[in-house]
Amino acid sequence: MPAAALFDVDGTLLDTSYWHTVAWTEALAQFGHTPAMARIHGAIGMAGDQLLDHVLGEDRDHADDEAISAAHQALFARFWPRLRAFDGAGGLLRELKRRGWTITLASSASGRDLAAMRAVLDADDAIDHATSADDVEASKPAPDLVHAALAKSGAGPGEALFIGDTPWDVQAAARAEVPCVAVLSGGFGERALLAAGALEVHVGVGELLARLDDSALADPARHTTGAS
């Protein structure tokens, strides 16, 4: 069984984190909530339920939650034509595939958002599996998404690495006992990612590709016998 590279998509492979921040800001404003955008950005990487808990507090009236999340989805869709993959994203997936990794997109995005992002990424020839919101019950930092990605890939925790851009990615991977390689492209700092438990931190996927031989992703053979 090849080792599995499990990739977060938003903020890791695609430059979407700040578009999500804007979409959530506008969605919340429609329902009378005006938290600072910096606070909203700090919760990007969580799914909607966790993000609203983080931004508005768990003791709030939850009556509007579903409508706020639906508004976010509609607002984010406006930005689809402006989405772009980070430089080196497709190249990294293809090089890892060439080296023997199984590539799984570990996303909790809706099916339509994931389809739009995959079209922008334009690397389906290197992608073996993908998860979506339909595959998880609890969102990051719960480990459900990582467990779902492992199940899709057929790998155990000791046969995989997770690649993400937020502390929530790192924490979710850790709870699934999967090491996490982190990137700074989602807007979270190196200190925060290391404090969450990241194995290593890179500027972005382009730098990771350039320095692949010095990273934990250099050789999938290291991860095919349960070593992490």
Side-chain angles (χ1 to χ4, degrees), residues 127-166:
I127 297 167
D128 297 293
H129 311 285
T131 68
S132 70
D134 294 337
D135 296 304
V136 297
E137 293 185 7
S139 59
K140 293 178 290 188
D144 297 34
L145 176 65
V146 186
H147 288 150
L150 287 171
K152 293 264 188 177
S153 68
E159 301 165 327
L161 286 172
F162 194 91
I163 303 90
D165 67 292
T166 73

Side-chain angles (χ1 to χ4, degrees), residues 41-90:
H41 175 261
I44 297 299
M46 298 177 172
D49 55 343
Q50 296 272 19
L51 181 145
L52 292 173
D53 284 347
H54 184 87
V55 172
L56 301 178
E58 296 182 20
D59 296 332
R60 72 189 184 283
D61 182 352
H62 291 256
D64 291 331
D65 283 11
E66 187 173 342
I68 295 172
S69 292
H72 162 261
Q73 289 288 319
L75 289 161
F76 181 69
R78 297 185 314 175
F79 301 126
W80 285 355
R82 302 170 73 177
L83 300 185
R84 71 175 188 88
F86 287 115
D87 292 344

Side-chain angles (χ1 to χ4, degrees), residues 33-218:
H33 304 292
T34 57
M37 292 181 77
R39 181 163 180 78
I40 296 171
H41 175 261
I44 297 299
M46 298 177 172
D49 55 343
Q50 296 272 19
L51 181 145
L52 292 173
D53 284 347
H54 184 87
V55 172
L56 301 178
E58 296 182 20
D59 296 332
R60 72 189 184 283
D61 182 352
H62 291 256
D64 291 331
D65 283 11
E66 187 173 342
I68 295 172
S69 292
H72 162 261
Q73 289 288 319
L75 289 161
F76 181 69
R78 297 185 314 175
F79 301 126
W80 285 355
R82 302 170 73 177
L83 300 185
R84 71 175 188 88
F86 287 115
D87 292 344
L92 176 62
L93 297 184
R94 292 184 177 96
E95 177 59 18
L96 292 174
K97 179 73 173 176
R98 187 189 69 79
R99 293 187 183 207
W101 291 90
T102 294
I103 308 298
T104 299
L105 299 185
S107 174
S108 58
S110 68
R112 67 172 197 156
D113 280 352
L114 182 60
M117 291 190 290
R118 287 185 70 158
V120 173
L121 184 58
D122 191 24
D124 276 357
D125 55 299
I127 297 167
D128 297 293
H129 311 285
T131 68
S132 70
D134 294 337
D135 296 304
V136 297
E137 293 185 7
S139 59
K140 293 178 290 188
D144 297 34
L145 176 65
V146 186
H147 288 150
L150 287 171
K152 293 264 188 177
S153 68
E159 301 165 327
L161 286 172
F162 194 91
I163 303 90
D165 67 292
T166 73
W168 321 118
D169 291 325
V170 181
Q171 292 173 16
R175 292 175 183 179
E177 301 183 334
V178 176
C180 184
V181 172
V183 290
L184 300 175
S185 49
F188 291 88
E190 181 176 11
R191 182 176 298 181
L193 294 167
L194 289 173
L199 182 64
E200 56 191 46
V201 179
H202 300 267
V203 172
V205 288
E207 186 205 54
L208 177 54
L209 175 60
R211 301 185 177 183
L212 193 56
D213 288 336
D214 297 321
S215 80
L217 286 154

